[in-house]
Amino acid sequence: MGSGSSKTKTKDRKPKDVGKNTTPKRQKSTAKSRNESLLAPEHRQPPKGMRRNSDGRRSRTGAEGEGIHSDFVPYEAEKLDLTGNWELEAGADEETLMTDISYPPPRAGRPTADRTALQRVDFAVIHTNLSSPVSPKGTFKDVACQVVGDVGPEICRVRALTTWMAGQKVRSRQYGQDAKLDTVLNYMKQIKEQKGTFPGLLTNLCRAIDIPCVIIRGVYKSASHVVGEDDVRESRCTWNAVFVDGGWQLVHPFLICTPLATKSPALGWTLLESSREEVSQSVGAVLNNFFFAPKPSDFVRFCFPDESKWQLLEEKVTYNTFIKFPFLRSAFYESGMQLKSETKSVLVSEAGKCSIRIQCPQESVGRTELMYELYSGDTDPDIDQEMGHVVLCGRNEDTWNVKVQFPVDGTYKLCLFARIESWFFWIGDFKIICDVPCSNFVTQPEVPQEVGFGPSVLSENAGLLSPSHEGGIIFYRPKEEHIIKFLTIEKILLKHEIESSDADSAELHQYCRMRQGRSEAEFTVCLPRPGQFALRIYKVDENGEATNVVNYLFTDDDQGRARENVFQRKARWKLREATAGRDIEPLDKALDKYTATKLEPDDDFLRGQRRLKYLRLKKGLRDGRMRRHEGTLAKAVEEAEQSQFRHALQPNIARARELLTCLEGIEISCHAVRQLDHTAVSEIANFNSPPKDVHNTMVATYMLLGEDKRELQRWGYIQGLLRRRGRESIIQRIGRFQEEAVPDRGTVQAVNRIHDSVPKPYIVSASLAAAAFYNWVSDVLSHLNNVSKNATDPDDDESFETIDGHFIMNSNKQSAMTSRDDVGNMSQDEGFLDGQDTDSDKHAR
């Protein structure tokens, strides 16, 4: 019943004795250790698609290893050769027939959305393995009880068993005389000898602690699968279904504990073109998280069960549908990617062109790099290398576009790879059939392979921050103006050029104008005709040497955008217009209108969303400064610093932080008042006709606390306020002063005038209690006067632009970008970074 060849014979055998119902003596201490590890600090997670653990990433302190390094990835999986094909289990086991567990009918359980709880289980298991490892020499029940300890939810208990299995080095350890019958170690030995399987091991462990578990047989699209192949019935495998928390969950323990291939097999294919970088690591330990309780709709794209009921789907998938699913690897789904083009494994080009679009999550799109390999099915393809690149792989906002132009007909294979920071994985293959070659084939403009298209770490290190266009591909129409902006926080010298494979760069230079200001660089591109053009931006060093730091590809070939009706075109134009403005409300309405017309969320929509988020963050900082409320301002600063616009908002954040420091200082000045008792306050209230200086001091005090100046002219009103108790007493109100909104500028100026009229020696001689309030008012005014200096933003300095290498001062800051050409096009992203905005601007609301 194993996962070897379909011809493997199986035998039935009697149920195994899972051992006595006893618990080892060290179970209690192990459980305590596990609970301590659940409190371990959060660790830095690699991308979801592939979890690797390398030597030297674990650090322990103390005898019991209670300290875990923050960079430690909690998987101690078995290290195997990554160059081998481990994806089909070679063993075959004999399933134990259970009679003491009733099996509910197949019904999918709720998705395990809380992956954090599963990570904590991983920490617990690994921490236990470091301090007091659970030996596999015991019976299935002994081992299972020790591993799960007092873990609560059943799904977490299964997770603990799976993670423990991944660290046992089943296939690489040496077995001696300790592998006794009916022990876990003996079954692990059977797996190495290809007489057992990982699903069989998990089944015995789960059943030993009364968790229903079955072994499912079926077929699997392994790394050796040839994309477009019509039959995979020989690729047999087994996996598990466990009944936990009221529903069935799928688990593939073998693939969880096994390194997945990082490259598509090239047998029978000829490599034509590649942007893939070689991975130097040949040995590694991997725990593939995707295969633990995945969505059944995703899992069925990899494993097709013999019995359709174990698909756990309401609408069953047929074998023909399964074989035509796109051949996407588990890392594709785990990293949150989505296929936005045809959902087929075999694509047919149109007029010699084919396009694949892959959307990435917003939180990781800037750190994701997509790479490719293009193969031909012919042993001697008739493609001249001098033709240049036939594949365009670039990102537009959150979507990677892979476009292929075939100069020669034939059958091709396109392999796609992704790298998120230092994590590299293979995400899938597509088979492309080209019956008719591209008649107007034009190679894409040449750019350095290490730079590519779009902003990257290279451009960020060069000082070009917060780009208005986060993707590297810009779709345009002739005579349509596009404005690309960068924030520059240091003085840098830039140059640019426009390139095309069929035109001279000197001729094209006139179609791009560069303007550099004090804190931003702007490139306005308006191309006269259709085609493919590259905007190359260089940083010039002190020696005059230019280094290419970022490139953009302008193309009129937008196959992904459907024909739009008049309402959709109007909604798009309104969105572009609002994105270029400074008002939040029109932009918010434009985004809603865009969605209402059922337009796809493309680059215009995403750019509008980013613009709206930027304006809201900037407004939050401004409102916090104007209100002068410590809590509101602190929240606004935190949100701005954690956003992608932290560089662009740095001046606003700095002013807000300075103001926040002033507001926090007010707390210090109320200690003298808090030391007063009710007797001292009653002393002031008992004045029938107080000295003028005492009256003015109390007027200034209560004005800062928000009372009406006109009411405070009557001493009887102040007496009533002074005689209040509890939360409304003057001492408690002063204690809460920093939690309330700071008085406006007019009130502060009025209190300044009243306070300046009171000589300090006179107030001290008149009343020591009133002198305490006098000192409090002095300290608060000192802070608020500093605060008022940070209430608004100064205007930015004038900027300059370059035309033909000459600097021209630009004292009048223009933002007229809503001009349209004769076909209704308009420019985009004018003022996206708001380098020219000020919070005092009447439009900032």
Side-chain angles (χ1 to χ4, degrees), residues 530-542:
Q532 286 192 345
F533 302 85
L535 169 62
R536 299 185 63 177
I537 301 174
Y538 301 83
K539 180 181 180 181
V540 183
D541 61 18
E542 55 186 10

Side-chain angles (χ1 to χ4, degrees), residues 471-516:
I473 301 179
I474 298 176
F475 299 107
Y476 78 98
R477 294 176 182 175
K479 298 182 181 181
E480 182 181 58
E481 193 175 74
H482 289 260
I483 300 176
I484 301 172
K485 286 191 174 186
F486 294 92
L487 174 70
T488 55
I489 58 177
E490 60 182 16
K491 186 177 180 179
I492 58 176
L493 183 59
L494 301 171
K495 61 176 290 189
H496 71 281
E497 61 183 18
I498 296 283
E499 290 187 354
S500 177
S501 58
D502 59 352
D504 184 61
S505 296
E507 174 192 347
L508 299 174
H509 189 76
Q510 60 181 312
Y511 300 118
C512 178
R513 185 177 65 178
M514 179 178 72
R515 184 180 66 85
Q516 281 189 259

Side-chain angles (χ1 to χ4, degrees), residues 366-403:
R367 300 178 288 113
T368 303
E369 180 182 0
L370 205 67
M371 292 169 278
Y372 67 88
E373 287 181 342
L374 180 66
Y375 291 87
S376 171
D378 299 327
T379 56
D380 189 15
D382 188 19
I383 295 183
D384 190 353
Q385 296 295 331
E386 295 182 359
M387 289 182 177
H389 293 298
V390 300
V391 181
L392 166 64
C393 184
R395 179 169 61 88
N396 189 33
E397 294 297 333
D398 67 340
T399 302
W400 279 90
N401 295 269
V402 185
K403 297 177 177 291

Side-chain angles (χ1 to χ4, degrees), residues 13 16-17 137-140 177-187 190:
R13 80 184 200 186
K16 297 179 181 179
D17 182 8
K137 297 180 182 180
T139 64
F140 286 100
Q177 302 298 324
D178 295 332
K180 297 181 180 179
L181 189 64
D182 295 331
T183 64
V184 175
L185 188 64
N186 181 66
Y187 193 86
Q190 292 181 41

Side-chain angles (χ1 to χ4, degrees), residues 269 272 375-376 383 406 408-413 430-432:
W269 296 92
L272 298 179
Y375 291 87
S376 171
I383 295 183
F406 298 103
V408 178
D409 58 355
T411 302
Y412 300 87
K413 180 174 74 168
F430 291 89
K431 182 179 180 179
I432 306 175

Side-chain angles (χ1 to χ4, degrees), residues 127-403:
H127 185 74
T128 302
N129 284 345
L130 297 176
S131 56
S132 54
V134 177
S135 172
K137 297 180 182 180
T139 64
F140 286 100
K141 187 160 189 173
D142 291 342
V143 171
C145 289
Q146 292 181 66
V147 170
V148 301
D150 56 356
V151 175
E154 292 179 328
I155 188 66
C156 292
R157 297 164 75 87
V158 178
R159 177 71 171 211
L161 293 173
T162 307
T163 306
W164 178 83
M165 286 169 53
Q168 297 311 301
K169 301 178 176 57
V170 175
R171 290 157 288 196
S172 58
R173 73 186 301 161
Q174 298 297 322
Y175 299 90
Q177 302 298 324
D178 295 332
K180 297 181 180 179
L181 189 64
D182 295 331
T183 64
V184 175
L185 188 64
N186 181 66
Y187 193 86
M188 289 164 52
K189 181 181 178 182
Q190 292 181 41
I191 295 177
K192 184 176 182 179
E193 295 174 350
Q194 301 183 10
K195 299 177 181 178
T197 62
F198 278 80
L201 177 57
L202 181 61
T203 298
N204 283 288
L205 289 171
C206 288
R207 290 174 174 178
I209 53 175
D210 297 332
I211 294 179
C213 181
V214 298
I215 299 178
I216 302 172
R217 300 172 178 84
V219 294
Y220 167 59
K221 290 182 181 178
S222 68
S224 59
H225 170 64
V226 179
V227 61
E229 185 180 343
D230 294 332
D231 193 2
V232 293
R233 289 186 174 89
E234 294 300 319
S235 298
R236 302 290 300 173
C237 71
T238 56
W239 59 95
N240 293 110
V242 292
F243 188 81
V244 291
D245 306 321
W248 288 93
Q249 297 286 356
L250 300 171
V251 180
H252 202 313
F254 177 73
L255 292 179
I256 289 174
C257 308
T258 302
L260 298 184
T262 59
K263 187 176 181 180
S264 175
L267 185 63
W269 296 92
T270 303
L271 181 64
L272 298 179
E273 187 177 319
S274 174
S275 68
R276 178 179 182 269
E277 297 179 7
E278 292 296 329
V279 181
S280 58
Q281 187 176 10
S282 60
V283 176
V286 180
L287 193 144
N288 298 295
N289 194 48
F290 170 81
F291 293 101
F292 186 88
K295 294 179 181 178
S297 57
D298 289 342
F299 188 78
V300 77
R301 296 173 180 265
F302 298 88
C303 299
F304 187 81
D306 294 340
E307 297 181 85
S308 61
K309 65 180 181 180
W310 289 115
Q311 293 181 17
L312 302 183
L313 297 172
E314 292 185 4
E315 294 186 9
K316 305 304 180 186
V317 173
T318 65
Y319 181 79
N320 288 335
T321 302
F322 165 75
I323 205 66
K324 293 178 181 178
F325 278 138
F327 184 46
L328 299 172
R329 308 293 288 164
S330 60
F332 178 89
Y333 297 97
E334 269 296 282
S335 57
M337 295 180 177
Q338 297 182 38
L339 183 63
K340 297 309 235 180
S341 51
E342 285 190 276
T343 56
K344 298 178 180 178
S345 60
V346 180
L347 306 176
V348 179
S349 66
E350 295 183 7
K353 298 180 181 180
C354 186
S355 177
I356 297 172
R357 294 183 296 124
I358 295 176
Q359 189 178 52
C360 299
Q362 283 288 329
E363 61 272 13
S364 62
V365 64
R367 300 178 288 113
T368 303
E369 180 182 0
L370 205 67
M371 292 169 278
Y372 67 88
E373 287 181 342
L374 180 66
Y375 291 87
S376 171
D378 299 327
T379 56
D380 189 15
D382 188 19
I383 295 183
D384 190 353
Q385 296 295 331
E386 295 182 359
M387 289 182 177
H389 293 298
V390 300
V391 181
L392 166 64
C393 184
R395 179 169 61 88
N396 189 33
E397 294 297 333
D398 67 340
T399 302
W400 279 90
N401 295 269
V402 185
K403 297 177 177 291

